[in-house]
Amino acid sequence: MNELVGFVNGNSVRQKVLSLLASKGEMEGKRISKTLRVVYPTIAKTLEELEEKDLVAKKEEFYSLTETGTRIEKMVQQI
């Protein structure tokens, strides 16, 4: 768990994506990009990394937090 918290905390875009998905539920990658005002290729790469760590799940074009992602996001908020 601490490794995942460090992984998220090590990158502000990862933090923002998790926080956004925690508040909005599920979103498309392009919508995440526009909402956070971060270029889409950066968001796409970040989502891919978060998906590899099982923090987000992709269903069709929509991304949402996994159970692990929700727990990690709450831990990151407390830091």
Side-chain angles (χ1 to χ4, degrees):
M1 278 299 194
N2 285 343
E3 179 188 319
L4 288 174
V5 171
F7 171 75
V8 172
N9 267 340
N11 181 298
S12 66
V13 176
R14 288 184 201 133
Q15 291 173 8
K16 290 175 185 174
V17 168
L18 282 190
S19 180
L20 181 64
L21 289 175
S23 67
K24 299 287 186 191
E26 61 178 30
M27 294 180 80
E28 292 176 289
K30 298 242 185 229
R31 171 64 51 202
I32 294 170
S33 173
K34 285 180 181 168
T35 303
L36 296 179
R37 294 189 171 109
V38 176
V39 293
Y40 182 71
T42 301
I43 292 297
K45 183 179 183 310
T46 300
L47 287 167
E48 193 177 296
E49 293 169 348
L50 292 170
E51 203 172 1
E52 284 172 13
K53 299 280 187 185
D54 193 38
L55 298 173
V56 301
K58 183 179 182 184
K59 186 175 179 185
E60 293 168 19
E61 293 302 310
F62 290 88
Y63 291 88
S64 60
L65 292 182
T66 61
E67 197 174 304
T68 303
T70 301
R71 278 201 308 257
I72 295 299
E73 193 275 332
K74 286 179 182 164
M75 291 169 79
V76 168
Q77 291 299 329
Q78 293 172 353
I79 295 175

